[in-house]
Amino acid sequence: MSREMVLTSVGIDIGTTTTQLVISRLTLINVMPGSQVPRIEIGQKSIQYIGEVHITPFLDRKRVDGEAVKAIIAGEYAKAGISPAEIDTGAVIITGETAKKENASVIIHHLAEYAGDFVVATAGPDLESVIAGRGSGAEELSKKLHLCLANIDIGGGTTNIAYFDKGRCIGTACLNVGGRLFEVDPATHAITYVEAPAASLLTKLNCLRADEPSASYREIENCMEVMAGAVEKVLRHRPLSEAEGVLGMTNSLPEKRLDGIVFSGGVAKYIYEPDNGDWWVHGDTGPLLARAFLKNAYFAGCKVYQGNETIHSTVLGAGAHTIDISGSTVTVSREYLPLRNIPAVYPEKDEEGGFGWQIPAARFKDSVHQTLALIVPPLPELSFNAIYALAQKLALELELVSSSPKVVIAQQDIAKVLGQTLLSLLGPVPLICLDGIELYLGDYLDIAKPLPYGDAVPVIVKTLVFLR
């Protein structure tokens, strides 16, 4: 049996300002020698093709042009010399303001024929923050230098923040701060369009009325400084002012001292390369927003590291950093894979200090029609008696889940024995029992077909939320 195999992964980022595709190769390696039970890891990630950066097409201010996006992606596949049938995994990421458009979820259907057999279709600030930090190189830099770094990804519609502590993501945040919330006439410097978050900010600051799309240079500059200041406050765990409050979206950042910052996203180019002869070259306020970050005293005093990528960080993260590999010692009903969009149900502690999985009907209203994944927390001991007791508790919960197959995800290397014990209790039911998957930021899972290495299974943990 070969010790290596290669997966072809696609990343497609449909952002507020730009749309891009990247093709990656992921080399999977059996790291266990000889006749030992295989353990599969991703040994190498290489970029095979980086597509052109396209302006994201819109039908109007509220709808993305799905057919035009489809044509862009079809053209990039042709340039890359690859067909959708050759794609093994990857992600279509709808980011920033684009994720809030009326037909955001419909775009995925337009791209269905280009998504291959197992490609995630997702949008959401948590996942976007994480993959931008991975694609920029902040995660690896944090691991290599043993530091706690914040990756600040500044795009057209949103700024996504991820904390990486020695290579592990420990929190994320997202703000309505971006370079294209204001569209500007390059000749007159007049505002020609204002996205809703920026319009609310203008009203709060009394710079001008939101229905009057014009402003002086100083008023635009003031808005940019307020936006940079809001990001500073989030990093420093300080409350946003009433005016800044309209910019806040999500925040789960821990009160952890930062050792430094990495900037990524389209605006980051002008932070690392600040000399700019034309502030309005893109018809937006991206370069001015970058200057506001450079003028901010807090950011000026921070240790700033430069990652491997800026503008390409999200699409590279989507193409090369979304997949994980479950352990080889698993229990899998192969005929039921792949599975997509599986809600993860986490256990809750009871009054006696134990735990149980209460299926939250309010959250999963159609749970009887879909598969749920019961997540097993780390056990203090891994004796047979402890695993058997766990299996008995799980069996009672799984009998309440009417959908098929039953899915259980363990974080420790116990999926084979746990799965076999469950089958002895439940009988010959369809069962997917996996282990070795990081789940601290994911609410949904996609599970692919097993790889040629025993029963090793690719899994993607994601947040599947289309913002409104």
Side-chain angles (χ1 to χ4, degrees), residues 291-315:
R291 192 169 81 159
F293 275 91
L294 290 170
K295 290 172 61 179
N296 182 283
Y298 171 75
F299 291 110
C302 287
K303 173 67 174 177
V304 176
Y305 295 85
Q306 185 162 0
N308 299 323
E309 292 291 343
T310 52
I311 191 171
H312 303 304
S313 60
T314 300
V315 70

Side-chain angles (χ1 to χ4, degrees), residues 72 86 91 124 126-127 137 148 180 194 201 245 285 326 350 357 406 415 427 433 442 457:
I72 288 173
E86 297 174 82
D126 285 344
L127 182 62
C148 183
R180 206 168 180 81
V194 183
L201 179 62
T285 54
S326 176
D350 57 31
W357 296 264
K406 316 294 186 184
C433 189
V457 177

Side-chain angles (χ1 to χ4, degrees), residues 5 7 28 88-89 117-118 323-326 330 332-340 432 434 446-459:
M5 70 172 295
L7 297 183
L28 305 184
D88 299 302
T89 185
D117 187 50
F118 182 66
I323 191 170
D324 202 350
I325 305 296
S326 176
V330 298
V332 177
S333 297
R334 294 169 174 262
E335 64 272 22
Y336 287 87
L337 296 178
L339 293 171
R340 302 176 190 270
I432 309 293
L434 308 179
D446 282 17
I447 305 174
K449 294 178 181 179
L451 299 173
Y453 289 119
D455 288 321
V457 177
V459 177

Side-chain angles (χ1 to χ4, degrees), residues 379-390 412 414 417 421:
L379 300 178
E381 61 172 304
L382 296 178
S383 66
F384 175 79
N385 288 339
I387 293 175
Y388 186 79
L390 170 64
Q412 294 163 301
I414 60 172
V417 63
T421 306

Side-chain angles (χ1 to χ4, degrees), residues 73-89:
I73 301 306
E76 290 298 339
Y77 267 95
K79 292 177 184 176
I82 195 169
S83 70
E86 297 174 82
I87 299 296
D88 299 302
T89 185

Side-chain angles (χ1 to χ4, degrees), residues 146-376:
H146 300 280
L147 300 176
C148 183
L149 301 179
N151 190 80
I152 305 177
D153 187 75
I154 313 169
T158 57
T159 290
N160 294 89
I161 304 168
Y163 277 16
F164 293 97
D165 187 16
K166 299 179 181 64
R168 179 182 176 88
C169 184
I170 60 172
T172 64
C174 181
L175 294 90
N176 285 309
V177 171
R180 206 168 180 81
L181 293 176
F182 299 88
E183 294 181 23
V184 180
D185 185 307
T188 66
H189 306 170
I191 297 176
T192 57
Y193 182 72
V194 183
E195 291 283 0
S200 297
L201 179 62
L202 289 174
T203 302
K204 293 285 187 181
L205 294 176
N206 296 316
C207 288
L208 70 163
R209 296 205 316 270
D211 59 352
E212 292 182 354
S214 62
S216 69
Y217 174 87
R218 179 54 196 157
E219 287 169 330
I220 296 175
E221 190 176 44
N222 181 46
C223 289
M224 299 299 101
E225 291 172 358
V226 170
M227 288 184 175
V231 176
E232 172 200 339
K233 286 185 177 180
V234 168
L235 292 176
R236 300 178 72 181
H237 304 283
R238 295 185 176 181
L240 299 178
S241 68
E242 181 183 356
E244 295 164 336
V246 301
L247 303 176
M249 291 179 63
T250 66
N251 188 353
S252 63
L253 296 176
E255 293 196 21
K256 175 79 173 179
R257 187 183 71 84
L258 290 174
D259 298 307
I261 288 173
V262 176
F263 288 102
S264 65
V267 174
K269 171 185 176 182
Y270 296 101
I271 293 178
Y272 291 117
E273 303 172 16
D275 292 334
N276 182 52
D278 184 0
W279 297 111
W280 320 106
V281 62
H282 302 297
D284 59 30
T285 54
L288 272 184
L289 180 57
R291 192 169 81 159
F293 275 91
L294 290 170
K295 290 172 61 179
N296 182 283
Y298 171 75
F299 291 110
C302 287
K303 173 67 174 177
V304 176
Y305 295 85
Q306 185 162 0
N308 299 323
E309 292 291 343
T310 52
I311 191 171
H312 303 304
S313 60
T314 300
V315 70
L316 290 176
H321 297 280
T322 52
I323 191 170
D324 202 350
I325 305 296
S326 176
S328 296
T329 53
V330 298
T331 303
V332 177
S333 297
R334 294 169 174 262
E335 64 272 22
Y336 287 87
L337 296 178
L339 293 171
R340 302 176 190 270
N341 303 334
I342 307 169
V345 179
Y346 295 83
E348 298 177 359
K349 289 186 177 180
D350 57 31
E351 296 179 355
E352 299 178 355
F355 56 84
W357 296 264
Q358 300 299 318
I359 307 300
R363 182 180 177 191
F364 304 126
K365 294 180 180 179
D366 59 344
S367 61
V368 295
H369 302 298
Q370 63 181 326
T371 298
L372 304 174
L374 299 190
I375 309 304
V376 178

